Amino acid sequence: MAVKPNVIRINDIHDIDTTRISVYDLNNRYIDRLGNMYGVKYNPLTRKVEIIRIIRAVEKEVATMQQRILKKKLSEMPPNEDRPEEPPEQEEEKSLGNFEPELFIGDCMKIIATHRSRIKGIIMNIKNSNVFPKENKHESIELENIFRNLEIDGERAFDMVDNYQKELTGYPRSISYYQAKIDNRGNQIVEAMGDDKTRIMKFIYMYEMYTSISELYHNLLDTIMQLKEKVSEKNPDDIKHIAHNDKQAFLDAKTSLTNTIDEIHDLMDKMRQLEQFVLDPGNF
């Protein structure tokens, strides 16, 4: 289902602060006091957000009709007659809903940083809550195994993706090195690009970030779901003499788990857009 644009009233174009735009603002439309409509898009070449003028439906229809009339006149004129210069067809501005992969990847890295610290907080709150007593050896071992897996699937994996992005953007290795790493599907696209190293490296960056982020969250989600299932078995109100701070720490962890799971599902849905983008060689 298409995302409904958020229409924001402004005095003029200078009210749009592009430095504060994120991937979630790309659906916004801005209308100034004169009725002009604007949007924003991410320019991968300059790595900056730009303001675009949105041509309304009526304007586009008029321009299209004018072009059709002129083309018809040109086709009816004798071949030797002087012809008026045919205006170039107007390039329609990209829809505000168009996917901006590099901006999306940048937002993914911000989410990764948030989840890294949040998972540490969840583990700390659960341990401090004393809802899982250490006397219950079987339960304690199960919980410690989940925490250990969260460290592997979370913190370590977050660091690996973060370092990999820094490598790909700051000090990339040779194309042959990455070709040996990526799967057959990615290699087929690389081979279809011929010898254009710029296109190939741009593809490798996006393809590897798509693969790395997808794998990270696929593994992490399984482990977090295990923890949520474990936490859902407990009700702090059933524990005698539980301190208020301990109860609150447990409830905070429970809320953070739910929010994190919802965010991961939302992110994985958006990752399908990145997948569609990177699998089309025409985008590079």
Side-chain angles (χ1 to χ4, degrees), residues 191-207:
E191 290 172 3
M193 292 181 177
D195 298 325
D196 192 330
K197 293 183 179 180
T198 301
R199 287 181 65 205
I200 291 173
M201 283 308 302
K202 185 177 179 182
F203 164 75
I204 286 174
Y205 167 68
M206 291 191 185
Y207 190 78

Side-chain angles (χ1 to χ4, degrees), residues 248-269:
Q248 191 59 52
F250 181 80
L251 293 176
D252 288 346
K254 196 172 182 179
T255 299
S256 292
L257 273 172
T258 300
N259 292 340
T260 303
I261 290 169
D262 289 343
E263 289 169 4
I264 292 174
H265 281 304
D266 183 58
L267 182 65
M268 292 177 79
D269 284 340

Side-chain angles (χ1 to χ4, degrees), residues 20-214:
R20 305 182 71 175
I21 298 293
S22 76
V23 68
Y24 302 107
D25 298 316
L26 295 179
N27 281 324
N28 289 349
R29 293 186 182 182
Y30 305 85
I31 299 181
D32 66 16
R33 63 181 183 274
L34 300 177
N36 298 314
M37 183 179 289
Y38 304 95
V40 289
K41 69 174 182 179
Y42 180 75
N43 186 329
L45 297 177
T46 62
R47 296 190 176 185
K48 293 181 179 179
V49 174
E50 299 176 349
I51 300 172
I52 56 174
R53 169 78 185 280
I54 303 300
I55 303 174
R56 303 202 186 204
V58 174
E59 294 178 78
K60 286 187 284 187
E61 288 171 6
V62 169
T64 302
M65 184 61 68
Q66 289 174 337
Q67 288 175 343
R68 286 177 181 170
I69 292 171
L70 182 55
K71 285 182 178 179
K72 187 173 185 298
K73 287 181 178 179
L74 290 171
S75 65
E76 293 173 349
M77 290 178 65
N80 293 329
E81 253 185 70
D82 291 335
R83 295 164 173 253
E85 184 179 350
E86 183 177 350
E89 291 191 12
Q90 289 188 356
E91 181 180 349
E92 183 179 334
E93 292 286 2
K94 292 183 179 180
S95 165
L96 287 176
N98 275 359
F99 183 64
E100 300 290 352
E102 293 193 74
L103 188 58
F104 172 68
I105 291 172
D107 274 33
C108 284
M109 300 310 295
K110 294 176 185 176
I111 293 171
I112 284 174
T114 299
H115 287 169
R116 178 196 279 121
S117 59
R118 187 187 295 167
I119 288 172
K120 288 181 180 179
I122 290 171
I123 293 173
M124 183 183 67
N125 279 343
I126 292 175
K127 287 182 176 180
N128 292 341
S129 70
N130 298 313
V131 170
F132 292 91
K134 293 182 180 179
E135 292 75 18
N136 188 332
K137 296 295 183 182
H138 177 71
E139 196 171 60
S140 293
I141 291 172
E142 282 188 339
L143 197 61
E144 283 301 324
N145 285 336
I146 293 175
F147 289 160
R148 191 177 303 108
N149 289 335
L150 272 179
E151 182 182 355
I152 296 170
D153 297 331
E155 187 172 350
R156 293 183 190 175
F158 288 145
D159 287 339
M160 287 176 64
V161 173
D162 186 38
N163 292 332
Y164 197 26
Q165 192 213 24
K166 289 175 181 175
E167 173 191 314
L168 288 166
T169 56
Y171 41 92
R173 308 192 195 197
S174 66
I175 289 175
S176 59
Y177 170 82
Y178 295 112
Q179 275 189 285
K181 282 174 60 76
I182 62 178
D183 56 24
N184 289 334
R185 183 172 64 167
N187 261 314
Q188 288 175 359
I189 297 176
V190 170
E191 290 172 3
M193 292 181 177
D195 298 325
D196 192 330
K197 293 183 179 180
T198 301
R199 287 181 65 205
I200 291 173
M201 283 308 302
K202 185 177 179 182
F203 164 75
I204 286 174
Y205 167 68
M206 291 191 185
Y207 190 78
E208 284 293 81
M209 292 310 298
Y210 157 72
T211 304
S212 300
I213 295 169
S214 296

